[in-house]
Amino acid sequence: MKRPRVDVEANHRLLTRRAAILGGVQLAFVGALGARMQFLQVDQADQFRLLAEENRINIRLIPPARGEIFDRNGVALARNVPSYRIVMVREDAGDIEASVEALGKLVTLDPDEVQRALAEMKRSAPFLPITVAEEVSWEDLSRVSVNAPALPGVTPEVGLSRVYPLGSDYAHVLGYVGPVSDFDLQRIEDPDQLLRIPRFQIGKVGVEAKIEENLRGKAGARRVEVNAAGRVMRELDRREGTPGSDLQLTIDSKLQSYVQARLNGESASAIVMDVENGDLLSICSAPTYDPNLFVRGISSRDYNMLTENKYRPLASKAVQGTYPPGSTFKMVTAMAALEEGLIGPDETVYCPGHLEVAGRRFHCWKRAGHGWVDLQNSLKQSCDIYYYDLAVKVGIEKISAMARRFGLGERHDIPMSAVAQGLMPTMDWKSRVHGQSWVVGDTVNASIGQGFLLSSPLQLAVMTARLASGTAVKPRLIKTIDGIEQPSGAGPSLGMNENNLRKMRRAMYATVNDRRGTAYGSRIIEDAVRMAGKTGTSQVRNITAAERRAGVVRNEDLPWERRDHALFVNFAPYDDPKIAVAVIVEHGGGGSKAAAPIARDVTLQALYGGEPPLEAYPTKDRDRIKQQQQVLRGIQPVANFAGRDQA
Amino acid sequence: MSYLEYTVKHVPSGPRKILYLNWPLALLLAAVACVGFLMLYSVAGGSFSPWAEPQMKRFVMGFVLMLIVAMVPIWFWRNMAGVAFAGTLLLLLGVEFFGSVGKGAQRWIDLGFMRLQPSELAKITLVMILAAYYDWLPSHKKSRPFWVLIPVLLILLPVAMVLRQPDLGTSILLLAAGGGIMFLAGVHWAYFAAVIGAGVGLITAVFQSRGTEWQLLKDYQYRRIDTFLDPASDPLGAGYHITQSKIALGSGGWTGRGFMQGTQSRLNFLPEKHTDFIFTTLAEEFGFIGAFSLLTLYALIIVFCVVSALANKDRFASLLTLGIALNFFLFFAVNMSMVMGLAPVVGVPLPLVSFGGSAMLVLMLAFGLAQSAHVHRPRQGY
């Protein structure tokens, strides 16, 4: 087929024109692509470079080693020991079930834990190590290491785990650590990034919780390059963290272990405090528990056993328990009257066994009455009527104010959980809280430490220390942080008449050392360490008039929960006071029988710095004490525990 | 006009033909392919396997194929256009029944030694059949409705079959290339205005109707369109690829992060880094300078094709060459727009650079046709 030449030329011209148009469009598009490149790669380069770095660089925190805790003599109380765990990496293991089975032949694995680990391995990225077994013993670990070639993907890892070498002796003081919970995170404002590390451990209660900031330390960090799947390709750099500060407590481990052993079998607490500088040498509550159980994750069975026990092992009775101080409060009532000049020490009051106040009859614990008593005799025999009489004269406001000067009704600043404030009532308090006006009967009850009054063993120890030293000494639990000595608890003079204080001490001395004193049975006969103290028996029930007529039911005949609390406070040596002791035996009956013997043993142990010679005890007690010492020697832990390889 | 009218003596014959090849074009193709080898070596972490080495073998094969096709006179290819197009349609039909499934779409037929994607082949044979059609059609008929309907059907037939696979990217490319050849052939512009107007109208209607009573699509279809058009609205799904791709491009800066230093590709943040997204690795490692250089190479290939086509008075030859150039342009333009976040993500590789067998062979076959047109162009007299 032939076409005219002019047609061909025309067609080609049209094609050229159209090609020019299309070419122009293409050129414009290429220009647009170039402009886009320039926009992305030149104008916004910095921003995208930053995003690329964010993509590939990950900051991983390095947890710092937690500060360790020692007693005043350097005995380790809370340590970090290497703990071994076995982890598995799915992509290295290949057949994970087979690997776990092979591993199970070498070490005992918890089936539940294995199921959890297998499920987690299947779910997460193949290169992530998943823990299969924790708290593996050194022997098991060695066996795994030796057999490593037969166990692909299985590797042992070393971490630090918290151990309390003296276990239950310090459960209430130190508390324990545990993994951060959601509740913890909610509670803390702006939490440290460290807390987001899975299974990171923080203090839960006690010193571990209260000094958490110092103990935790500062996290280190390593910058790693990761790929899109999150696999770490290499480490770019690393900055080590700062380990937490080491603590030294004022507690004397040897004494603490002794006291804990001595309280064994009771629901009781005891405090030993230095009267000059306030150092708390021992804080014990019984029964106790093993904090190491909590670190590992306590089983619900063990936990239920602790919570359902009626003697409340989890309660730190020495600082958070509050009890009516009972007759141990009489020193405060007397000091209030003496300081006001309302009585002379030789002034006597007649005790017929009861006293009518505002139309109500108040009884003395001794139904027959004490007859004529002065200050010293009233304290020594714990006559109630004498103090009823004083209280009516002095009034509650003065008594309450005096109690506060002795450290009662005040929350002492020591780093333990739930330190109790106790209660020292005033007229204002009663109308505010109960909506009733104060009546004189309330004052009468308060005078002998009953009624509204509540105080903790710690407060009673402070009260006794202040009586003994005449200074406003404050309790101190932390001796050093990071080797830096913390402020002493020594305080200024109480500003009370030294004669009055001396009379009180003398009366307390008589209580223990005079034949008719309520604590005569618990006296010390070694002159250098003689003690002065006061018994207390605080009622936890009302004695009705009917019961009083029929004869008060003896404590031994009551169910445990309704028996009286037994209290005893003392300081020693009388001539040169060094320590103050407070002992409370819950529902123990009379203070002289249940609490004073414990206080004597604790006092002697503290003053001798170890087991006291039998010669310090009255002759007739020696055989019994000798036996008791033998028993206690058996249940005390070895004080210089090195904590080497026990978990 | 026809090949019979120019004398054979003006056309080179025998092995001498090789001297008359469009050598600058061939060298440009080789240069682009070398960029591809370099990038495939880089994304494999500095290794010839698994991508760079097979790609090199294929390019050599493709280059030889181009030479062979170039040696065959262009009039033979013109005569083959109808057969080739029919064969392609048969292959596309075959994919329906015997095709292998890849990424959820039936796209290739396994020939044993290679996997053939008939949709790739369709890009070339469609251009061939349209060029042959307009070469045959007397020019005064080209804008008559009946003679316009025929090429439209020729285009829509393969487009519909490719769309069924479903391969949206290739069908759009086919549509655009076919329309482009009709435009070049001189079909009256009013047809194009009408089609474009209707398309814009339809799209407007679809979007305008959203949320009204006469809504044209279902809600979930709108949501799909949303993520298709704006991947950033789905940053962890469809948007992830585009975001990472833009980060890679942008972090390249002026000069790039250095050969094999691109963190985005080396650490696997980039998707499909050896195929559709290979341009991002180039841009990350060689920066604006590298990316712009590749764009320039591509543009030069187009320029050489257009120059060759316009110098060729044979209507089939020039339409064929321009159609191949347009196809090539659409290839890289769509791919680059996609990775730079200018266009939605559709599976279009970067020509001669992305790893892929049949795309490379078909492209080299196409340039063989362009070379044949160049070698066998009428030299003088009619």
Coordinates of all heavy atoms in Angstrom, one line a residue, chain B residues 106-142:
Chain B
Q106 N -2.1 -14.1 41.4 CA -1.6 -15.0 40.3 C -0.9 -14.2 39.3 O -1.5 -13.4 38.6 CB -2.8 -15.8 39.7 CG -3.4 -16.8 40.6 CD -4.5 -17.5 40.0 OE1 -5.1 -17.1 39.0 NE2 -4.7 -18.7 40.4
R107 N 0.4 -14.4 39.2 CA 1.1 -13.5 38.3 C 2.0 -14.2 37.3 O 2.4 -13.6 36.3 CB 2.0 -12.5 39.1 CG 1.1 -11.5 39.8 CD 1.9 -10.5 40.5 NE 1.1 -9.6 41.3 CZ 1.5 -8.5 41.8 NH1 2.8 -8.1 41.7 NH2 0.7 -7.7 42.5
W108 N 2.5 -15.4 37.6 CA 3.5 -15.9 36.7 C 3.2 -17.4 36.3 O 2.4 -18.1 37.0 CB 4.9 -15.8 37.3 CG 5.1 -16.6 38.5 CD1 5.2 -17.9 38.6 CD2 5.4 -16.0 39.8 NE1 5.4 -18.3 39.9 CE2 5.6 -17.1 40.7 CE3 5.5 -14.8 40.3 CZ2 5.8 -17.0 42.0 CZ3 5.8 -14.6 41.7 CH2 5.9 -15.7 42.5
I109 N 3.8 -17.7 35.3 CA 3.8 -19.1 34.8 C 5.2 -19.7 35.0 O 6.1 -19.0 34.5 CB 3.3 -19.3 33.4 CG1 1.8 -18.8 33.3 CG2 3.4 -20.7 32.9 CD1 1.3 -18.8 31.9
D110 N 5.3 -20.8 35.6 CA 6.6 -21.4 35.8 C 7.0 -22.1 34.5 O 6.4 -23.1 34.2 CB 6.7 -22.3 37.0 CG 8.0 -22.4 37.6 OD1 9.0 -22.2 36.8 OD2 8.2 -22.6 38.8
L111 N 8.1 -21.6 33.8 CA 8.5 -22.3 32.6 C 9.6 -23.3 32.9 O 10.2 -23.8 31.9 CB 8.9 -21.2 31.6 CG 7.9 -20.3 31.1 CD1 8.4 -19.3 30.1 CD2 6.7 -21.0 30.5
G112 N 9.9 -23.5 34.1 CA 11.1 -24.4 34.4 C 12.3 -23.6 34.6 O 12.9 -23.5 35.7
F113 N 12.8 -23.0 33.5 CA 14.1 -22.2 33.6 C 13.9 -20.8 34.1 O 14.8 -20.2 34.6 CB 14.8 -22.2 32.3 CG 14.1 -21.5 31.2 CD1 14.4 -20.2 30.9 CD2 13.1 -22.1 30.4 CE1 13.8 -19.5 29.9 CE2 12.5 -21.4 29.4 CZ 12.8 -20.1 29.2
M114 N 12.7 -20.3 34.0 CA 12.4 -19.0 34.5 C 10.9 -18.9 34.8 O 10.1 -19.6 34.2 CB 12.8 -17.9 33.6 CG 12.0 -17.8 32.3 SD 12.4 -16.3 31.3 CE 11.7 -15.1 32.3
R115 N 10.6 -17.8 35.5 CA 9.2 -17.6 35.8 C 8.7 -16.4 34.9 O 9.3 -15.4 34.9 CB 9.0 -17.2 37.2 CG 9.0 -18.4 38.2 CD 9.2 -17.9 39.6 NE 8.9 -19.0 40.5 CZ 9.0 -18.8 41.8 NH1 9.2 -17.6 42.3 NH2 8.7 -19.8 42.6
L116 N 7.7 -16.7 34.1 CA 7.3 -15.7 33.1 C 6.1 -15.0 33.6 O 5.1 -15.6 34.1 CB 6.9 -16.4 31.8 CG 6.5 -15.4 30.7 CD1 7.7 -14.6 30.2 CD2 5.9 -16.2 29.5
Q117 N 6.2 -13.6 33.6 CA 5.0 -12.8 34.0 C 4.4 -12.3 32.8 O 4.9 -11.3 32.2 CB 5.5 -11.7 34.9 CG 5.8 -12.1 36.3 CD 6.1 -10.9 37.2 OE1 5.4 -9.9 37.2 NE2 7.2 -11.0 38.0
P118 N 3.3 -12.8 32.3 CA 2.7 -12.4 31.1 C 2.3 -10.9 31.1 O 2.3 -10.3 30.1 CB 1.4 -13.3 31.0 CG 1.7 -14.4 31.8 CD 2.6 -14.0 32.9
S119 N 2.0 -10.4 32.3 CA 1.7 -9.0 32.4 C 2.8 -8.1 32.0 O 2.6 -7.0 31.4 CB 1.2 -8.6 33.8 OG 2.2 -8.9 34.7
E120 N 4.1 -8.5 32.2 CA 5.2 -7.8 31.8 C 5.3 -7.8 30.3 O 5.5 -6.7 29.7 CB 6.5 -8.4 32.4 CG 6.7 -8.3 33.9 CD 6.9 -6.9 34.3 OE1 7.4 -6.1 33.5 OE2 6.5 -6.6 35.5
L121 N 5.1 -9.0 29.7 CA 5.1 -9.1 28.3 C 4.0 -8.2 27.6 O 4.3 -7.6 26.6 CB 4.9 -10.6 28.0 CG 5.5 -11.1 26.7 CD1 7.0 -10.8 26.7 CD2 5.3 -12.6 26.6
A122 N 2.9 -8.1 28.3 CA 1.8 -7.4 27.8 C 2.1 -5.9 27.5 O 1.7 -5.3 26.6 CB 0.6 -7.5 28.7
K123 N 3.0 -5.4 28.4 CA 3.4 -4.0 28.2 C 4.0 -3.7 26.8 O 3.8 -2.7 26.2 CB 4.4 -3.6 29.3 CG 3.8 -3.4 30.6 CD 4.9 -3.2 31.7 CE 4.3 -3.3 33.1 NZ 5.3 -3.5 34.1
I124 N 4.9 -4.7 26.4 CA 5.5 -4.6 25.1 C 4.6 -4.9 23.9 O 4.5 -4.1 23.0 CB 6.7 -5.5 25.0 CG1 7.7 -5.3 26.2 CG2 7.5 -5.4 23.7 CD1 8.1 -3.8 26.3
T125 N 3.9 -6.0 24.0 CA 3.1 -6.4 22.9 C 1.9 -5.5 22.7 O 1.5 -5.3 21.5 CB 2.6 -7.9 23.1 OG1 1.9 -8.0 24.3 CG2 3.7 -8.8 23.1
L126 N 1.4 -4.8 23.7 CA 0.4 -3.8 23.6 C 0.9 -2.7 22.7 O 0.2 -2.2 21.8 CB -0.2 -3.4 24.9 CG -1.3 -2.3 24.9 CD1 -2.5 -2.9 24.2 CD2 -1.6 -1.8 26.2
V127 N 2.1 -2.2 23.1 CA 2.7 -1.1 22.4 C 2.9 -1.5 20.9 O 2.6 -0.8 20.0 CB 4.1 -0.7 23.0 CG1 4.8 0.2 22.1 CG2 3.9 -0.1 24.3
M128 N 3.3 -2.8 20.7 CA 3.6 -3.3 19.3 C 2.3 -3.2 18.5 O 2.2 -2.7 17.4 CB 4.1 -4.7 19.3 CG 5.6 -4.7 19.7 SD 6.2 -6.5 19.9 CE 6.3 -7.0 18.2
I129 N 1.2 -3.8 19.1 CA 0.0 -3.9 18.3 C -0.6 -2.5 18.0 O -1.1 -2.3 16.9 CB -1.0 -4.8 19.0 CG1 -2.2 -5.2 18.1 CG2 -1.6 -4.2 20.3 CD1 -1.9 -6.3 17.1
L130 N -0.5 -1.6 19.0 CA -1.0 -0.3 18.7 C -0.2 0.5 17.7 O -0.8 1.2 16.8 CB -1.1 0.5 20.0 CG -2.1 0.0 21.1 CD1 -2.0 0.8 22.4 CD2 -3.5 0.2 20.5
A131 N 1.1 0.3 17.8 CA 2.0 1.0 16.8 C 1.7 0.4 15.4 O 1.5 1.2 14.4 CB 3.4 0.8 17.1
A132 N 1.5 -0.9 15.3 CA 1.2 -1.5 14.0 C -0.2 -1.1 13.5 O -0.3 -0.8 12.3 CB 1.2 -3.0 14.1
Y133 N -1.1 -0.9 14.4 CA -2.5 -0.5 14.1 C -2.4 0.9 13.4 O -3.0 1.1 12.4 CB -3.3 -0.5 15.3 CG -4.7 0.0 15.1 CD1 -5.7 -0.7 14.5 CD2 -5.0 1.3 15.5 CE1 -7.0 -0.2 14.4 CE2 -6.3 1.9 15.4 CZ -7.3 1.1 14.8 OH -8.5 1.6 14.6
Y134 N -1.7 1.8 14.1 CA -1.7 3.2 13.6 C -0.8 3.3 12.4 O -1.0 4.2 11.6 CB -1.3 4.2 14.7 CG -2.5 4.4 15.6 CD1 -2.5 4.0 16.9 CD2 -3.6 5.2 15.1 CE1 -3.6 4.2 17.7 CE2 -4.7 5.4 15.9 CZ -4.7 4.9 17.2 OH -5.8 5.1 18.0
D135 N 0.1 2.4 12.2 CA 0.9 2.4 11.0 C 0.0 2.0 9.8 O 0.1 2.5 8.7 CB 2.1 1.4 11.1 CG 3.0 1.4 9.9 OD1 3.2 2.5 9.4 OD2 3.4 0.3 9.5
W136 N -0.9 1.1 10.1 CA -1.8 0.5 9.0 C -2.9 1.5 8.7 O -3.3 1.6 7.6 CB -2.3 -0.8 9.5 CG -3.5 -1.3 8.7 CD1 -3.5 -1.9 7.5 CD2 -4.8 -1.3 9.1 NE1 -4.7 -2.3 7.1 CE2 -5.6 -1.8 8.1 CE3 -5.5 -0.7 10.2 CZ2 -7.0 -1.9 8.1 CZ3 -6.9 -0.8 10.3 CH2 -7.6 -1.4 9.2
L137 N -3.5 2.2 9.8 CA -4.7 2.9 9.6 C -4.4 4.2 8.8 O -3.5 5.0 9.1 CB -5.2 3.3 11.0 CG -6.6 4.0 11.1 CD1 -7.6 2.9 10.8 CD2 -6.8 4.6 12.5
P138 N -5.2 4.4 7.8 CA -5.1 5.7 7.0 C -5.3 6.8 8.0 O -6.2 6.8 8.8 CB -6.2 5.6 6.0 CG -6.5 4.1 5.9 CD -6.2 3.5 7.2
S139 N -4.5 7.9 7.8 CA -4.5 8.9 8.9 C -5.8 9.7 9.0 O -6.1 10.2 10.1 CB -3.3 9.8 8.7 OG -3.6 10.7 7.6
H140 N -6.6 9.8 7.9 CA -7.8 10.5 8.0 C -8.9 9.8 8.9 O -9.8 10.4 9.3 CB -8.4 10.9 6.6 CG -8.7 9.7 5.8 ND1 -7.8 8.9 5.1 CD2 -9.9 9.0 5.7 CE1 -8.4 7.9 4.5 NE2 -9.7 8.0 4.9
K141 N -8.6 8.5 9.1 CA -9.6 7.7 9.9 C -9.3 7.7 11.4 O -10.2 7.3 12.2 CB -9.7 6.3 9.4 CG -10.3 6.1 8.0 CD -10.3 4.6 7.7 CE -10.9 4.4 6.3 NZ -10.7 3.0 5.9
K142 N -8.2 8.2 11.7 CA -7.7 7.9 13.1 C -8.6 8.5 14.2 O -8.6 8.0 15.3 CB -6.3 8.4 13.3 CG -6.0 9.8 13.1 CD -4.6 10.2 13.3 CE -4.3 11.7 13.2 NZ -4.2 12.1 11.8

